[in-house]
């Protein structure tokens, strides 16, 4: 065995030891050195990075004092050249906010940016991770996701992210509205407000997509009060005023 592969084998062995000790510990927060060892290992060999990408999020909630170090180490793994490391790191992202909800917005923001990934397996991991976080807290997650549709700088990268986010909302979120938008009235109102904020700078196709979705919500359905229908007409007419090419009846 070469020196490099021997060193890698030792790193992996140490990581398994850290993980096992943390798994078995009743008061995990006392095993600070083990968690620090896992974070440090994320800067070593490829196989160690892959294993660290599993272990960092798994024990994250027990070490709030190391949260910044842990997150930064994990975010570095997401930018790794090696695809297997990146995919493993992406899969671990939902675990950061499972028991620490304050990180949802940050994790969704990062996942939104990662929707532009070229590799199919990587993009698939991003989709699954986003759906996992959405199911943890749909209100917070949708707000963070829609921010990509509002904050547009003058750069093609921002445009690409925005396009990918809108496609994700259309293809993954809208079809599952009955499952995701709970409680129904509150969440339908929330997503309506998010969509209204997104209509300032949309293409004709994006506008029709949003209006079709709003029409499908129960708050604008057949049994909706007249003022709700007037609100929907107001949204359509407001956009028609902004751009004469849209017809109010579209």
């Amino acid at each position: 065995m070469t020196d490099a592969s021997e060193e890698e084998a030792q790193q992996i062995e140490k990581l398994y030891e850290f993980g096992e000790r943390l798994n078995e510990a009743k008061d995990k927060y006392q095993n600070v050195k083990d968690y620090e060892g896992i974070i440090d290992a994320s800067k070593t060999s490829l196989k160690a990075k892959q294993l660290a990408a599993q272990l960092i999020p798994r024990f994250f909630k027990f070490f709030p004092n190391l949260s910044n170090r842990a997150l930064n180490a994990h975010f570095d793994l997401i930018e790794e050249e090696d695809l297997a490391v990146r995919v493993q790191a992406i899969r671990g992202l939902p675990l950061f906010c499972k028991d620490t909800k304050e990180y949802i917005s940050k994790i969704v923001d990062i996942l939104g940016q990662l929707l532009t990934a070229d590799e199919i397996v990587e993009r698939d991991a991003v989709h699954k991770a986003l759906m996992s976080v959405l199911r943890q807290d749909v209100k917070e997650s949708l707000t963070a996701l829609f921010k990509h549709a509002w904050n547009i700088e003058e750069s093609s990268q921002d445009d690409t992210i925005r396009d990918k986010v809108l496609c994700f909302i259309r293809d993954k979120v809208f079809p599952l509205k009955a499952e995701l938008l709970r409680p129904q009235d509150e969440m339908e109102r929330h997503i309506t407000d998010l969509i209204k904020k997104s209509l300032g700078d949309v293409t004709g196709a994006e506008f029709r997509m949003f209006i079709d979705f709003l029409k499908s919500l129960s708050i604008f359905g057949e049994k909706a009060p007249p003022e709700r229908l007037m609100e929907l007409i107001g949204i359509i007419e407001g956009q028609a005023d902004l751009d004469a090419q849209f017809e109010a009846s579209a």
Side-chain angles (χ1 to χ4, degrees), residues 7 9 21 40 53 58 63 84 98 106 126 171 179 213 224:
E7 188 180 354
R21 272 203 298 271
D40 292 341
R58 188 182 300 170
F63 303 98
K98 193 162 182 250
K106 188 180 187 73
V126 174
D171 299 338
E179 174 199 338
F213 178 66

Side-chain angles (χ1 to χ4, degrees), residues 31-65:
N31 290 50
V32 177
K33 291 291 178 204
D34 290 326
Y35 195 59
E36 284 179 330
I38 290 168
I39 295 171
D40 292 341
S42 70
K43 311 251 188 308
T44 56
S45 65
L46 277 182
K47 283 185 179 167
K49 286 175 179 177
Q50 232 178 310
L51 185 52
Q54 294 177 50
L55 296 174
I56 290 173
R58 188 182 300 170
F59 300 109
F60 176 74
K61 66 178 179 182
F62 300 108
F63 303 98
N65 292 341

